[in-house]
C-alpha cells in the first residue's frame, strides 16, 4: 500500500503541484518569521550587551527617571542622587569609576527647522569625559565632547542628516525655547533608540541637569569595578552608601543585562506571535486547497480504489494509503518551505542593512526548534486536510464503485453537513450580537470565527442560489458557454464551496479591517469637528509635557484672542489610594474652546470651583452631581472637590475636568502642560499658525495643529495600519489564487471526455476557453460576495465594542473600496483560469473522447 501511495504521488505530480505550493508558501511564512525574529532578537541582545560591558552596578533614582523624561516635576520629596552621592560611591573599595547619568529627550532641527528623526526617539543625555577627555559610552568620530552650556555633540548619523559639521551652529530644543549651540563633535552609540532612527544630543553634565532634572542631580549612577572585584560585593557596599529612599534602587549590571534580554525576548516573541497569526491564516486557507485536491484525486481514482478493495485491501489500508500520499506531499513541501523561509529571512536582513535603518543585524539564527516546527506544521496541516478525503476513499464500495467514475454525495451526508453549519452559524450570530451588546471584543472574535465556520460548512447549500443570480447575465452575454459555465459551477457544490471558501477568508478579513478603519476615521473626524472649538492645539510631538512658559508666550502672540492651557494632574483618592487624573483647565475660557455638552448639573461648574465628569467616567466610578472626591494632591496636601455636572464623552478631555485655579496651586512646582488650546481673531489662518510656531521659538518638537491637521494625521495612521494588514494578508490571497487554479486545472482534466464531446458537436476552442474562464469567474465572485458580507457583519460587531472609545461610532461601509474588492475577486478568477482554459481549448478532440 505504501508503494502504491508513492506511485500515486509520482503519477499525479502535476495535479499535486498547487497543493504542494500552497503548503510551501504557508510553511515559508512560518519558517521566515521564526528565523527572522530569532535573528533579530539575537542581534538586539548582542547590541544591548555592549551597553553593560563596563557596568558592575547601577543606581537609579525612580523619581528622577519618572519625572525627568516629561520635564515636569524636577524635584522629589526624598533623598536623590547628587554629586556627593556619586563621589561617595566612587571612593568605595573596588570601585574604579562612578559615572553620573542624566537623560531625557532633545529635538534637533535641520537647517530648514524640521525635526530630525521621530519625536519618540530624540534622546538627550550628558557627556561624561574620563581622564582621557572622552566618554566611553559615546566614542568620538570627529571633534571633542561638549564642555560648556553653549556646546553640544551629536551622533554621526544625525549630523549627516542635518548636514552639520563640527563648528556649525545647531538648533536644539527640549520643551521650551530653542537653543542655538555649537557642534563640538560627533559620536557613535549603541543606544537602540538612536540606532532605530532616533537622534542623540549630548550636553555637558551641568547643562543636562538644568534641562532635565535640577542642578547637582542625577537620574542614574553607573559604577565600574576594578579588576577582580565581585559585583555582588560591590553592590552591597553601594547600597550601604545610599541615603534611605524608596525611589533609589541599586542593581548589578548583569541583572540589568538579563532584564534587557527578557524585554527583548518579550518584544520579539510578541512580533513573532503577530506574524505567525497571519501565517496560520495562510495555512488555514491552504487546508481548503489540500482537501479539495485529495477529494478530486479520490474521485478520479474511484475504480482504482475499488479494485484494491476487491483484491483484499481493507478500509484501514485505503485510508493509510491516502494519508501516506499526504505525508509525502506535506513533508516535501515543508522542507521546501523551510528553505524558502530561510531565504526570506536572509532577504529581510539584507533589506534592513541596505536601507541604513540602524537596526541591528547579525548572522542568521536557524534554531533546531524552527526546523522541527516548520516541517511538522506543514506536514500535520496536509495530513489533517487529507483526512476526510481518505475516509471517503475507504468507504468506496468495491462493486458499486466500478460502475461509476464518481460517487455523488448522499442526501444524508449533505443533511448532516447543513445541520452542523446552521448550528455553527446560529452560535456565531448569537455571540456577535451578545459581544456587541456587552462590548466584549473577545466574544465578538469567537462569534466571528463560529459564523465563518458555519458559513464555510453551508457554502455548498449557498452556492446554487448565489451562482444562479449570475445565470441570466451569463446566458444573455455569453450564450452557450455562459450556460455551461453556470451548470459546471453548481454540478459539484462541495468542490465549488471549498474553492470559493479559500478566497472568502482573505476577502472577509480585508473587508472587516477596511470597514472598521473607515468607521474609526469617520468617528474621529466627526468628534474633532464637534468637540474642538479652538482653531489650533499646541502640544509636544512625542506626547510629553510642554513647558508652562509656553502658554504665556502664546497668549502674547498677535491675533490670539483666547487661550486655555490643559494640564493633567495626578491625585490620589484618600479612601483607597487609587490614582485619578484631573484635566486641569482655565475655567474662564475652556468652555469656549471645547464643546462641553452638559447632561446633568450646572454648565458653569468650573467657574464655581467644582468638577465636571464625563458620563462614562461617572458611571464607572459611581459619581453623580453633588458627589465629592477626597483627594491628596501631588504636593501632599489634601482637598475635597465636588462634582458640579456631567458632560458627554469628549475627545479633548478624559475622566474629570477640574479648574486650574483650584488644583494648579497644589501641583508640583514646574509641572508641564499637556497642550494649549488657541482661538484666533480671524479663525484658523496660515498666518496665525506661523505666528504660533514663532511664539514657541520654532521648537521642532512642538506641533501646531488645526482641525485639518488632526484629521489628516488620524487618516494617515489608520491607512498605515491597514496597509500593513493588507500586506500580511496578501499571502493568504496568493494561496487562495493557487486554489482556484488547482481546482480549475483538475476539473478540466476530470471533464476531458465531456470537453471532447462539446468540441465534436460544434463548440469551438474560444467557446471552451470562455466556458472555463466564466466558471472560474463565478466561483471567485461567489467567494468574494460571501466574504464581503461576512466582513461587514463582523465589522459591525467590532465597531460596537469600540463605542466607549470613540464618540458616536457608527458603521461606515465605503462603497468604492467594497466594489474594488469585488472587482479584484473577479480579476483573480479570470487570471486563475488562464492556464486551465488554454489547456482545455487545446485538448485533442479524439484523445479526449477516448479517455476515461
Amino acid at each position: 500500500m505504501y508503494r502504491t501511495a508513492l506511485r500515486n504521488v509520482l503519477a499525479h505530480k502535476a495535479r499535486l503541484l498547487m497543493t504542494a505550493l500552497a503548503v510551501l508558501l504557508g510553511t515559508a511564512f512560518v519558517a521566515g518569521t521564526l528565523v527572522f525574529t530569532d535573528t533579530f532578537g539575537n542581534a538586539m541582545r548582542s547590541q544591548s550587551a555592549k551597553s553593560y560591558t563596563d557596568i558592575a552596578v547601577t543606581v537609579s533614582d525612580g523619581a528622577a527617571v519618572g519625572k525627568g523624561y516629561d520635564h515636569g516635576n524636577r524635584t522629589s520629596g526624598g533623598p536623590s542622587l547628587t554629586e556627593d552621592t556619586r563621589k561617595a560611591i566612587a571612593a568605595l573599595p573596588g570601585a574604579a569609576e562612578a559615572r553620573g547619568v542624566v537623560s531625557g529627550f532633545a529635538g534637533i532641527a535641520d537647517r530648514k527647522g524640521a525635526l530630525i528623526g521621530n519625536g519618540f526617539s530624540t534622546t538627550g543625555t550628558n557627556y561624561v569625559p574620563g581622564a582621557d577627555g572622552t566618554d566611553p559610552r559615546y566614542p568620538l568620530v570627529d571633534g571633542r565632547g561638549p564642555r560648556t552650556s553653549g556646546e553640544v555633540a551629536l551622533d554621526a548619523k544625525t549630523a549627516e542628516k542635518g548636514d552639520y559639521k563640527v563648528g556649525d551652529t545647531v538648533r536644539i530644543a527640549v520643551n521650551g525655547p530653542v537653543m542655538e549651540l555649537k557642534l563640538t563633535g560627533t559620536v557613535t552609540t549603541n543606544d537602540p533608540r538612536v540606532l532605530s532612527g532616533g537622534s542623540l544630543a549630548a550636553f555637558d553634565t551641568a547643562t543636562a541637569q538644568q534641562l532635565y532634572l535640577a542642578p547637582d542631580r542625577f537620574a542614574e549612577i553607573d559604577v565600574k569595578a576594578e579588576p577582580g572585584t565581585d559585583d555582588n560585593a560591590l553592590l552591597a557596599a553601594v547600597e550601604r552608601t545610599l541615603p534611605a529612599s524608596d525611589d533609589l534602587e541599586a542593581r548589578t549590571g548583569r541583572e540589568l543585562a538579563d532584564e534587557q534580554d527578557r524585554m527583548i525576548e518579550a518584544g520579539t516573541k510578541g512580533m513573532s506571535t503577530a506574524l505567525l497569526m497571519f501565517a496560520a491564516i495562510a495555512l488555514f486557507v491552504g487546508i481548503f486547497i489540500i482537501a479539495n485536491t485529495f477529494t478530486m484525486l479520490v474521485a478520479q481514482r474511484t475504480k482504482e480504489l475499488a479494485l484494491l478493495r476487491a483484491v483484499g485491501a481493507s478500509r484501514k489500508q485505503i485510508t493509510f494509503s491516502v494519508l501516506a500520499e499526504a505525508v509525502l506531499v506535506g513533508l516535501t513541501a515543508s522542507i521546501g518551505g523551510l528553505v524558502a523561509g530561510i531565504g526570506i529571512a536572509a532577504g529581510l536582513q539584507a533589506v534592513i542593512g541596505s536601507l541604513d535603518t540602524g537596526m541591528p543585524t547579525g548572522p542568521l539564527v536557524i534554531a533546531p526548534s524552527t526546523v522541527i516546527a516548520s516541517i511538522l506544521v506543514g506536514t500535520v496541516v496536509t495530513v489533517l486536510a487529507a483526512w476526510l478525503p481518505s475516509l471517503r476513499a475507504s468507504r468506496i464500495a468495491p462493486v458499486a464503485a466500478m460502475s461509476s467514475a464518481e460517487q455523488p454525495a448522499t442526501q444524508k451526508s449533505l443533511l448532516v453537513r447543513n445541520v452542523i453549519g446552521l448550528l455553527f452559524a446560529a452560535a456565531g450570530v448569537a455571540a456577535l450580537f451578545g459581544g456587541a451588546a456587552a462590548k466584549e471584543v473577545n466574544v465578538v472574535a469567537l462569534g466571528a470565527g463560529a459564523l465563518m465556520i458555519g458559513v464555510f460548512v453551508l457554502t455548498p447549500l449557498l452556492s446554487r442560489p448565489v451562482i444562479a443570480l449570475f445565470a441570466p447575465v451569463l446566458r444573455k452575454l455569453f450564450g452557450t458557454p455562459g450556460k455551461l459555465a453556470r451548470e459546471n459551477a453548481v454540478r459539484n457544490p462541495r468542490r465549488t464551496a471549498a474553492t470559493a471558501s479559500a478566497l472568502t477568508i482573505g476577502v472577509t478579513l480585508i473587508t472587516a479591517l477596511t470597514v472598521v478603519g473607515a468607521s474609526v476615521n469617520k468617528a474621529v473626524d466627526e468628534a474633532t469637528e464637534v468637540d474642538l472649538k479652538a482653531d489650533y492645539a499646541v502640544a509636544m510631538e512625542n506626547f510629553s509635557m510642554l513647558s508652562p512658559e509656553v502658554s504665556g508666550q502664546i497668549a502674547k502672540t498677535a491675533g490670539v484672542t483666547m487661550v486655555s492651557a490643559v494640564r493633567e494632574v495626578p491625585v490620589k483618592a484618600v479612601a483607597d489610594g487609587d490614582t485619578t487624573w484631573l484635566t486641569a483647565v482655565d475655567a474662564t475660557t475652556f468652555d469656549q474652546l471645547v464643546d462641553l455638552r452638559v447632561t446633568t448639573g450646572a454648565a458653569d461648574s468650573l467657574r464655581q470651583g467644582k468638577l465636571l465628569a464625563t458620563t462614562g467616567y461617572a458611571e464607572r466610578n459611581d459619581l453623580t452631581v453633588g458627589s465629592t472626591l477626597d483627594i491628596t494632591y501631588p504636593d501632599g496636601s489634601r482637598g475635597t472637590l465636588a462634582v458640579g455636572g456631567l458632560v458627554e464623552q469628549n475627545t479633548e478631555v478624559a475622566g474629570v475636568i477640574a479648574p486650574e485655579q483650584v488644583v494648579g496651586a497644589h501641583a508640583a512646582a514646574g509641572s508641564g502642560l499637556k497642550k494649549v488650546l488657541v482661538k484666533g481673531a480671524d479663525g484658523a489662518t496660515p498666518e496665525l499658525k506661523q505666528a504660533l510656531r514663532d511664539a514657541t521659538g520654532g521648537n521642532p518638537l512642538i506641533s501646531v495643529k488645526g482641525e485639518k491637521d488632526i484629521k489628516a494625521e488620524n487618516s494617515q495612521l489608520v491607512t498605515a495600519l491597514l496597509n500593513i494588514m493588507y500586506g500580511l494578508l496578501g499571502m493568504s490571497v496568493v494561496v487562495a489564487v493557487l486554489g482556484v487554479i488547482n481546482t480549475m486545472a483538475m476539473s478540466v482534466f476530470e471533464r476531458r471526455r465531456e470537453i471532447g464531446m462539446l468540441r465534436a458537436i460544434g463548440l469551438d476552442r474560444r467557446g471552451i476557453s470562455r466556458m472555463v474562464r466564466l466558471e472560474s469567474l463565478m466561483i471567485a465572485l461567489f467567494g468574494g460576495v460571501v466574504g464581503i458580507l461576512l466582513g461587514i457583519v463582523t465589522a459591525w460587531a467590532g465597531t460596537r465594542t469600540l463605542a466607549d472609545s470613540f464618540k458616536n461610532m457608527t458603521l461606515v461601509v465605503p462603497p468604492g473600496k467594497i466594489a474594488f474588492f469585488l472587482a479584484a475577486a473577479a480579476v483573480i478568477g479570470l487570471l486563475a483560469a488562464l492556464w486551465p482554459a488554454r489547456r482545455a481549448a487545446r485538448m485533442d478532440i479524439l484523445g479526449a473522447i477516448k479517455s476515461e
Side-chain angles (χ1 to χ4, degrees), residues 556-647:
K556 298 175 184 177
T557 303
V560 173
T561 59
M562 198 176 301
V563 170
S564 180
V566 180
R567 184 201 308 266
E568 288 191 346
V569 180
V571 298
K572 290 186 177 181
V574 174
D576 52 20
D578 288 345
T579 298
T580 296
W581 288 88
L582 302 181
T583 303
V585 300
D586 187 336
T588 61
T589 60
F590 188 69
D591 59 351
Q592 300 174 64
L593 297 170
V594 172
D595 187 14
L596 294 176
R597 293 197 174 102
V598 179
T599 59
T600 309
D604 62 346
S605 295
L606 293 177
R607 291 187 176 89
Q608 297 175 18
K610 297 181 180 180
L611 303 176
L612 289 175
T614 60
T615 52
Y617 182 90
E619 182 180 346
R620 292 191 298 272
N621 294 275
D622 297 324
L623 295 178
T624 59
V625 174
S627 297
T628 58
L629 293 178
D630 295 324
I631 56 177
T632 301
Y633 290 106
D635 63 358
S637 62
R638 290 188 176 185
T640 300
L641 299 175
V643 178
L646 303 182
V647 298

Side-chain angles (χ1 to χ4, degrees), residues 532-537 593 678-684 688 705-707:
L532 187 64
K533 292 182 180 179
D535 295 318
Y536 290 104
L593 297 170
V678 183
K679 191 77 171 176
D682 300 320
L688 177 60
K705 297 177 182 176
E707 181 183 309

